[in-house]
Amino acid sequence: QEQVVESGGGKVQPGGSLRLSCTASRLTFANYAMAWFRQAPGKEREGVSCITWSGSPTYYADSVKGRFTISRDNAKNTVDLQMNSLKPEDTAVYYCARGPACSGGGYSATTFGFWGQGTQVTVSS
């Protein structure tokens, strides 16, 4: 089955950092946009960050700008999300997905696919 695999989640105190990774063994990331989404309990899935196939430009939700950094390595077929200065409101299941484009930041979960199981991020003291 073609899907991505997310890893790197965990529990961290406010102000801490985590690095999420996304990879796939039967799905290529090259030539596609890649994005991270998150879903908190009782809330809709929201876009966190998107990176174009070339690695630039990148897009971020206003709530994570200046704290999160998305990157990719097409040769290794990986996409990472470095999360710094984490806040309790960042608590969610984080998902990686492949899509056609970041659409100037207007990307939507409806146009992305090959979802994995997600990785839980909990920010709590």
Side-chain angles (χ1 to χ4, degrees):
Q1 185 176 359
E2 296 177 332
Q3 67 179 65
V4 303
V5 177
E6 303 96 339
S7 63
K11 184 177 180 179
V12 64
Q13 293 186 342
S17 298
L18 284 173
R19 188 176 183 88
L20 306 184
S21 293
C22 171
T23 189
S25 59
R26 300 180 63 184
L27 186 71
T28 183
F29 294 173
N31 300 318
Y32 291 92
M34 297 297 298
W36 285 94
F37 297 82
R38 67 185 181 187
Q39 188 165 18
K43 294 187 177 181
E44 293 186 356
R45 190 168 298 188
E46 64 172 351
V48 175
S49 182
C50 188
I51 187 168
T52 58
W53 68 270
S54 66
S56 179
T58 56
Y59 302 91
Y60 298 92
D62 288 343
S63 58
V64 307
K65 279 181 181 177
R67 300 188 298 122
F68 290 11
T69 302
I70 191 171
S71 61
R72 67 187 297 162
D73 186 330
N74 288 335
K76 295 182 178 179
N77 213 43
T78 59
V79 177
D80 291 345
L81 185 69
Q82 177 66 42
M83 306 187 298
N84 299 326
S85 303
L86 284 162
K87 305 176 180 179
E89 50 263 44
D90 293 319
T91 295
V93 178
Y94 283 70
Y95 300 89
C96 170
R98 192 186 85 173
C102 293
S103 302
Y107 60 101
S108 168
T110 58
T111 60
F112 278 67
F114 304 102
W115 299 92
Q117 296 299 311
T119 185
Q120 176 71 48
V121 171
T122 302
V123 185
S124 174
S125 56

